[in-house]
Amino acid sequence: MAKNTRITLRTARDIDGRIERVIRGLGNPEPPLRLEDVRDLLKLDREFYRADDPTLLREVVSRIRVATIQVAQRPMLLLDAIKKWSLQALYVPDRKRILLDGSLPEKKHRWSEAHEVGHSLIPWHDDVMHGDNRHTLLPHCQAEIEAEANYAAGRLLFLRDRFGEEARSLQPTIETIQSLNGKFGNTISSTLWRFVETLGESQPMVAMISGHPHITRRLSDFDPFHPCRHCIQSPAFDTRFGKVDEVTLFQAVERYCTAKMGGPLGSAEVVLQDDNGDAHVFLFESFFIRYKPPAVGEALTLGIYLRPVASVIALSG
């Protein structure tokens, strides 16, 4: 399942302290955060690469591991790894250099760069250079490392508690997420992710990032057993509805979504069973973002807990 990996509270506090020092060092800036200021503060370099660019080989350091592959005195292994795992960003610790895939849409650069900044801030990541991977399931330890860098990126780009303070004053809707997306300057996908994880401590929420849910809009490589690119469960959802899988959620969404190729796809009340077998009502809504060719786009879905299903008790006369 494309479920978000959670990190321990102790690790989160450690990372958050490091992010706090960065934001304080920047003078507690207003959103959107300027990543060039972060690079200047941390003395990081940024360059772009393409998988077919041989100049990338000059960035190989004496000891780099990419997804458990050791690269030592064999620089071609790095290029092979980039191609094999479709890496979108790299952090080279010895050079304090962030490498971004220049073929990515520009809006994706911001999250990828912040993710690698996260690696640079977490000392136990120093010996490992990681990259985003959309196709290969990583070992559990690798998933934890990536989750830690994602947590750091989210806390950095959304200015720690500033995002939560503003989000809690608004209605939990996709329209709200779009407005916060504009203010903080991040992608709507990362804003959706941060919204659910931040506001969902006590209220069950779930979000999905997927291809178009309508059956007539599915791509040829659609996998009905793994229909979501990401399934983001809030802490409260994970605690109470942890047995609900992405297939169940996607099937609920496809029932109400229209075939539109942009904008709102529809909304509906959806009944889900909690881990005790009790039924509860969620309000789901979906929105499709259309990208410039050759990219197709992605559907964003937000599900918010409403109420338990009312029990009907029959009384005998």
Side-chain angles (χ1 to χ4, degrees):
M1 180 176 178
K3 180 179 176 181
N4 50 318
T5 301
R6 303 189 61 77
I7 66 175
T8 66
L9 181 60
R10 179 179 179 180
T11 299
R13 287 174 175 169
D14 185 301
I15 294 172
D16 203 43
R18 299 174 191 278
I19 298 299
E20 180 184 14
R21 288 193 288 273
V22 171
I23 293 176
R24 189 169 61 244
L26 295 172
N28 296 308
E30 290 293 308
L33 178 71
R34 286 167 44 91
L35 284 175
E36 53 266 49
D37 293 340
V38 176
R39 292 197 305 272
D40 288 344
L41 178 69
L42 300 178
K43 296 180 171 56
L44 296 171
D45 291 329
R46 184 192 68 178
E47 291 187 11
F48 293 91
Y49 72 88
R50 297 182 67 93
D52 56 357
D53 184 355
T55 61
L56 174 63
L57 300 180
R58 294 200 299 266
E59 305 302 330
V60 176
V61 292
S62 60
R63 185 181 179 187
I64 299 174
R65 282 190 294 174
V66 180
T68 73
I69 287 187
Q70 181 73 35
V71 180
Q73 299 179 353
R74 295 180 61 189
M76 285 305 296
L77 284 180
L78 180 58
L79 187 55
D80 291 343
I82 289 171
K83 292 179 178 178
K84 182 176 181 179
W85 278 283
S86 301
L87 299 180
Q88 299 176 356
L90 306 168
Y91 173 58
V92 183
D94 289 8
R95 303 283 186 88
K96 298 197 72 174
R97 181 164 298 170
I98 293 171
L99 303 175
L100 300 177
D101 185 351
S103 65
L104 283 177
E106 188 173 348
K107 289 185 178 180
K108 299 282 187 180
H109 291 165
R110 185 170 171 84
W111 178 265
S112 295
E113 181 175 347
H115 177 95
E116 302 308 322
V117 169
H119 281 310
S120 77
L121 289 171
I122 302 171
W124 55 93
H125 292 196
D126 279 353
D127 291 335
V128 185
M129 183 177 68
H130 296 273
D132 294 333
N133 184 329
R134 294 176 297 172
H135 305 294
T136 304
L137 292 177
L138 302 176
H140 180 65
C141 60
Q142 182 83 4
E144 288 183 353
I145 292 292
E146 294 302 305
E148 290 167 1
N150 279 335
Y151 178 79
R155 294 295 280 170
L156 179 65
L157 289 176
F158 292 98
L159 298 172
R160 295 186 70 243
D161 297 331
R162 174 67 179 270
F163 177 81
E165 291 167 359
E166 298 201 17
R168 288 186 182 92
S169 66
L170 303 170
Q171 292 297 314
T173 64
I174 286 183
E175 183 178 0
T176 289
I177 291 167
Q178 289 174 308
S179 68
L180 291 169
N181 158 58
K183 180 166 187 175
F184 284 83
N186 303 311
T187 65
I188 189 171
S189 300
S190 62
T191 306
L192 173 67
W193 193 307
R194 194 71 202 148
F195 187 90
V196 169
E197 290 197 329
T198 301
L199 273 67
E201 292 290 341
S202 57
Q203 181 179 10
M205 298 183 184
V206 63
M208 291 182 290
I209 302 173
S210 67
H212 202 298
H214 198 275
I215 191 170
T216 65
R217 299 296 190 185
R218 292 176 187 169
L219 301 180
S220 59
D221 61 353
F222 173 76
D223 183 353
F225 299 104
H226 301 92
C228 300
R229 297 171 189 165
H230 300 286
C231 183
I232 306 102
Q233 299 185 359
S234 75
F237 188 97
D238 187 46
T239 299
R240 296 180 59 186
F241 298 87
K243 295 180 181 179
V244 179
D245 59 30
E246 65 173 297
V247 174
T248 299
L249 294 170
F250 189 83
Q251 289 174 346
V253 170
E254 68 179 354
R255 293 190 188 103
Y256 68 76
C257 279
T258 68
K260 288 174 56 179
M261 286 299 291
L265 297 179
S267 62
E269 291 191 354
V270 174
V271 176
L272 299 176
Q273 285 191 337
D274 65 19
D275 292 349
N276 295 321
D278 298 322
H280 299 264
V281 180
F282 284 73
L283 178 61
F284 274 60
E285 61 173 325
S286 299
F287 187 96
F288 192 78
I289 304 172
R290 189 169 188 173
Y291 298 137
K292 293 180 179 180
V296 178
E298 57 189 8
L300 307 180
T301 296
L302 175 65
I304 304 295
Y305 180 84
L306 293 181
R307 62 185 181 275
V309 172
S311 300
V312 177
I313 302 176
L315 300 177
S316 57

